[in-house]
Amino acid sequence: MTSGPMLKPGTEWDTVYARCRDTAPEAFGPDGPLNRWGGAWRAGGTLRPSFSPVDGGELAGLPMLDAATAEEAVRAAADDHRAWARTPLSDRRARVDAALDAWAAHRETLALALVWEIGKPWRLALQDVDRAIEGARWYGERMEAMLEDRAPLPGPVSNIASWNYPMSVLAHAMAVQALAGNAAIAKTPTDGGLVCLTLAVALAAREGLPFTLVSGGGRDLSPALVRGREIGCVSFVGGRDAGGQVATAVADLGRRHILEQEGLNCWGVWEYGDWDTLSGQIRKTFDYAKQRCTAYPRFVVQRSLFDRFLEAYLPAARAVRFGHPLAVDRPGDDLPELDFGPLIGAAKAKELADQVDDAVAGGAVPLYRGGLDDALLLPGQDADAYMAPVALLEPPRSSPLFHAEPFGPVDTVVLVDTEAELLAALNASNGSLVATLSCDDPEAAERISAQVRAFKVGVNRPRSRGDRDELFGGWGESWRGAFVGGDLLVRAVTRGPDGERLPGNFPDYTLRPDGRG
């Protein structure tokens, strides 16, 4: 008999970290993971402690480099790039395939590292690894046609990404960039993913892929990773503040850039009646605690339908399962099926809780507030990074919850009476990546969705980032630079005919419905 849930044996952090070190001992020193450049793993940098959002325990420290060392790493990556660009596609593809095979062989170790480092539930952690592998294989099978009349960039691709998708966004992008003939540099996200990325890069480097991995603060590394003269393209995924700084830095350099930034993705409900379907869709919006760029934290609802919307929303919110991703009742049990685990850290959970309290004090009406009593937790564990779902009606305009993406399980509901009000509320953040409209009237749905400032608008179904041959980008402040997806991703990181203009969110540029300029 046990007194409560227990940590599943074999998933302890020390065990997972030992598996990573045993798999790639060259990438881990006595003090923790190493940085890699110039074809070698290197000690050095100032260690910054890191802590797991899962239970607050200490993880491996980040070896934070200074600006001078980052410049040295970029120069070495440029040397790698020149050699790799001359490598035949058949050889590049064989090496990438071998790296993907290695990732697949160690998918559970990579996924367990993600669970501890960024708090992903087991299902979503495995999904993150699998999407990186499957997506890169898809590109490998089609790369020859995508590269017709195209050449690698003059310098390596610099990747600066947020912590939430280390494999399916960051590692996947690096594999595609290598297939296209480029060396790839990755800055380790400072909030999580260090050990997972170190292992993934180590496995790829063993197969000869030209990958550089560096840790450090944005202020120290930005001069080399963004403005360094050797860089051929900057790929950024993150918030608008940091993205705006990157955009300013590349504006006068004439440099390729792909800058995916946050936006307040909204879900409109107008002239609608399929409430059972909507309730199921709402439940799925809570995946990974809405800590993703295509999450839906804002519902804009026709006032006359609010009572029916609430009847659909509340059961969905109450059904959400969250808690410790590795907690089981008995040693032999499967890992739990959770919608989400902790937020990325205790500071983020406190920030959101304070924003909720301030919004309520300013007039927002609490529609739903879960509690940690509903969470699957270990007895006595640190739960400071956990937050239950919350829904607020009509947050005050002074609240960050009104105009910004919360990046956590906090929904806001805004009521409207006219189509004009609906559109104004759907477009609250000057551009977003996705939006959805639940509407039974096809003509109204077409009319309204055409005026929503989101890159992808779903009617009666959610839209997501997508990958492979699905075009992806953003309008307004949610995106800067080249659009991606399929051959457009390859075009973004290769050179074509002289005078080519890339499809993207550039000044004075219009995208046709077929995805071409």
Side-chain angles (χ1 to χ4, degrees), residues 451-474:
Q451 301 176 73
V452 176
R453 291 278 292 169
F455 193 77
K456 292 182 179 181
V457 181
V459 175
N460 297 326
R461 65 186 182 96
R463 296 307 307 270
S464 64
R465 190 182 198 279
D467 55 13
R468 304 181 186 181
D469 59 355
E470 186 176 3
L471 180 67
F472 189 63

Side-chain angles (χ1 to χ4, degrees), residues 59-85:
L59 302 176
L62 279 79
M64 308 285 279
L65 299 180
D66 58 23
T69 310
E71 291 173 359
E72 181 183 346
V74 168
R75 288 193 296 269
D79 292 337
D80 293 342
H81 178 84
R82 284 187 285 272
W84 183 253

Side-chain angles (χ1 to χ4, degrees), residues 356-376:
V356 168
D357 289 344
D358 290 345
V360 172
V365 178
L367 298 176
Y368 179 76
R369 274 189 174 182
L372 292 189
D373 290 344
D374 302 322
L376 173 64

Side-chain angles (χ1 to χ4, degrees), residues 141-310:
E141 293 167 357
R142 295 159 177 78
M143 189 57 60
E144 189 168 7
M146 291 182 178
L147 288 178
E148 186 175 356
D149 298 325
R150 306 196 68 79
L153 294 174
V157 181
S158 177
N159 295 275
I160 304 169
S162 57
W163 46 265
N164 51 346
Y165 288 92
M167 291 298 298
S168 62
V169 173
L170 182 51
H172 168 269
M174 295 172 72
V176 176
Q177 292 157 12
L179 281 166
N182 303 294
I185 306 168
K187 177 188 175 298
T188 306
T190 53
D191 288 325
L194 168 68
V195 172
C196 175
L197 278 173
T198 300
L199 178 57
V201 169
L203 295 171
R206 284 183 178 178
E207 306 302 334
L209 297 192
F211 286 178
T212 294
L213 182 66
V214 293
S215 297
R219 181 177 300 178
D220 294 325
L221 270 57
S222 182
L225 298 184
V226 176
R227 296 190 293 273
R229 59 184 179 84
E230 299 90 352
I231 299 298
C233 176
V234 177
S235 177
F236 171 88
V237 180
R240 288 190 180 185
D241 290 343
Q245 295 173 19
V246 174
T248 299
V250 300
D252 298 326
L253 297 176
R255 175 164 298 158
R256 295 288 179 92
H257 55 283
I258 308 163
L259 311 181
E260 179 184 331
Q261 301 171 109
E262 65 184 296
L264 183 61
N265 306 313
C266 296
W267 192 308
V269 181
W270 186 263
E271 301 296 340
Y272 184 72
D274 188 0
W275 302 109
D276 287 342
T277 295
L278 182 63
S279 187
Q281 292 169 336
I282 289 170
R283 165 76 182 272
K284 292 179 181 178
T285 68
F286 281 99
D287 265 7
Y288 196 29
K290 300 182 184 264
Q291 294 178 114
R292 61 186 192 276
C293 64
T294 54
Y296 287 92
R298 165 68 51 80
F299 291 88
V300 182
V301 181
Q302 189 174 4
R303 190 182 306 273
S304 60
L305 298 179
F306 177 58
D307 57 335
R308 300 300 307 278
F309 170 82
L310 203 56

Side-chain angles (χ1 to χ4, degrees), residues 477-504:
E477 294 300 315
S478 65
W479 194 279
R480 300 286 184 89
F483 292 147
V484 297
D487 69 323
L488 291 188
L489 173 55
V490 176
R491 287 172 65 186
V493 295
T494 54
R495 290 179 290 178
D498 290 343
E500 176 187 47
R501 188 76 185 273
L502 292 176

Side-chain angles (χ1 to χ4, degrees), residues 116-128:
W116 281 108
E117 292 191 282
I118 61 175
K120 280 201 169 183
W122 180 238
R123 170 180 60 88
L124 298 181
L126 283 175
Q127 186 181 91
D128 196 12

